[in-house]
Amino acid sequence: MADREQVRHLEGMAVEMRRNLLRLALSFDGPVHLGGDMSMTELLIALYHYGMNVDPADIRAAERDRFILSKGHGAVGMYIAMALRGFYEFDDILATYGQFGSAYGMHPCRTQLPALESSTGSLGHGLPIAVGLAFAARQRKQTHRVFTLIGDGESCEGSIWEAANTAGSYGLGNLVGVVDFNKQLMTNLNGNTMNLEPFADKWRAFRWNTIEVDGHDMAAICDVLDNLPPADGNRPTMIVAHTIKGKGVSFMERSIAWHANNLNQEFFDIAMAEIDAAAAKLEGAVA
Ligand SMILES: Cc1ncc(C[n+]2csc(CCOP(=O)(O)OP(=O)(O)O)c2C)c(N)n1
């Protein structure tokens, strides 16, 4: 069980992750997927710093939990969450992101970064790969879990539902999905294009143990991770995390313009001031 101090520590990590996202977006001369990075910040911090058994000092440990970022365009968010956990140096990411020859591309590459389980970026593939890894682990009688984080827009891909049915049919209790359910796609709101509702019930219909949570409530996310059913059970788990795209920066929240965008100094200063103010409020509430 995460105690108050642990939750506070994780919330502080989430603040640092948002600050680093802004720093990177300011220094990079091109668009960064800030909207979806900000919406999954608490989820990635909770997974990498609390829920998953991973060790930066032993990236191929047989018993490690596996993680695949299925919404691969959120690579920057994953790099930063992993850097805070000790996998990478944030300064390296900042200095080289998106440049020719850099290990840190707009989409994650396993050849460049062996701590990853898979390259991703073409939506709809991460969950199917995670299903394969979970199935293989079962065959080999391994006890680790396989986690994957998918996008709600990504769930428009047919391959997601083929994988959903496969995992439910084979009873892959060692598979844990998380959906960053921010209700936005790249250029529109979900409701205006593909209707995903009733979203959580769709996972239930495919025989997934489905849990809904506020994806920005660190204590609630930890509670869900604490209470995952045993990995040798017969139902995969889907955590439907209700989130806000661009969370934490008022002009980015729910704005289509900030799916991916360039951040200039003026907007950086406003955004950073908002993150700092929220952090100060958090510290005030704890003191
Ligand atoms: C197969 C495929 N089609 C299209 C794209 C382009 N694309 C990148 S992000 C995105 C929207 C994804 O929406 P969602 O999964 O909800 O991500 P989020 O809003 O959390 O960033 C699209 C269509 C892609 N990467 N892969």
Side-chain angles (χ1 to χ4, degrees), residues 8-20:
R8 176 66 200 93
H9 175 70
L10 293 167
E11 286 170 343
M13 288 275 181
V15 168
E16 207 41 40
M17 175 164 158
R18 288 200 171 88
R19 285 186 178 129
N20 285 348

Side-chain angles (χ1 to χ4, degrees), residues 36 71 73 121-123 151-154 157 182 184 186 245 259:
K71 46 170 278 191
H73 58 283
S122 182
L123 296 172
D152 53 353
E154 181 182 13
E157 300 284 352
N182 58 32
Q184 284 182 225
M186 187 159 68
K245 203 154 172 173
H259 170 77

Side-chain angles (χ1 to χ4, degrees), residues 115-129:
L116 306 183
E117 307 296 340
S118 176
S119 302
T120 48
S122 182
L123 296 172
H125 291 79
L127 178 65
I129 296 167

